[in-house]
Amino acid sequence: MNNKILQMISEYEEDKDFFGEASEEALIEAESMLGVDFPPQYREYVKKYGSGGICGVDILGVEGDVEGSSVTLQTERRRKQGLPPKDIL
C-alpha cells in the first residue's frame, strides 16, 4: 500500500474512521458481482481497513449491505444511471 496513505492514516485516524475489514472471499465475491478485478492497492486497503476514510476522502469497501459504504451497491446503482459497465466507484 502507498506509504503516504499509510502515514496519513497513522497520523489522522480516529476511532470509527474505518470499519468492515474484508476477507479474500468477500473481495472475490464483489469482483464477480461487478465483473471486474480490483487493483492490488485497493484489495490491500480493503483487507486492512474496510470502508472509511480520513481528511475528507472516503473509500468504499465490500462489507455487508450498508448502501453508503458498499462498493458493490454504489457501483450497481451508478451503472443504472449510466456508469460504464467496467467502471467502479
Side-chain angles (χ1 to χ4, degrees):
M1 192 179 322
N2 183 300
N3 286 335
K4 186 173 183 175
I5 292 171
L6 291 174
Q7 180 183 354
M8 288 178 66
I9 290 171
S10 174
E11 188 173 336
Y12 297 108
E13 180 179 15
E14 295 180 16
D15 189 33
K16 299 186 183 191
D17 280 345
F18 301 96
F19 64 94
E21 297 170 2
S23 66
E24 181 65 21
E25 293 79 21
L27 282 161
I28 291 169
E29 181 178 346
E31 288 175 321
S32 176
M33 289 175 71
L34 295 173
V36 299
D37 292 322
F38 294 134
Q41 285 189 329
Y42 176 77
R43 294 176 69 81
E44 186 178 355
Y45 170 89
V46 173
K47 280 183 174 181
K48 183 167 183 163
Y49 296 106
S51 288
I54 55 168
C55 301
V57 177
D58 291 323
I59 298 177
L60 301 173
V62 299
E63 76 294 326
D65 292 330
V66 181
E67 186 170 334
S69 63
S70 168
V71 69
T72 305
L73 292 174
Q74 288 292 342
T75 298
E76 288 175 340
R77 184 173 140 238
R78 296 297 178 144
R79 284 181 177 172
K80 289 177 183 172
Q81 299 172 344
L83 183 72
K86 290 296 179 181
D87 289 357
I88 59 173
L89 293 182

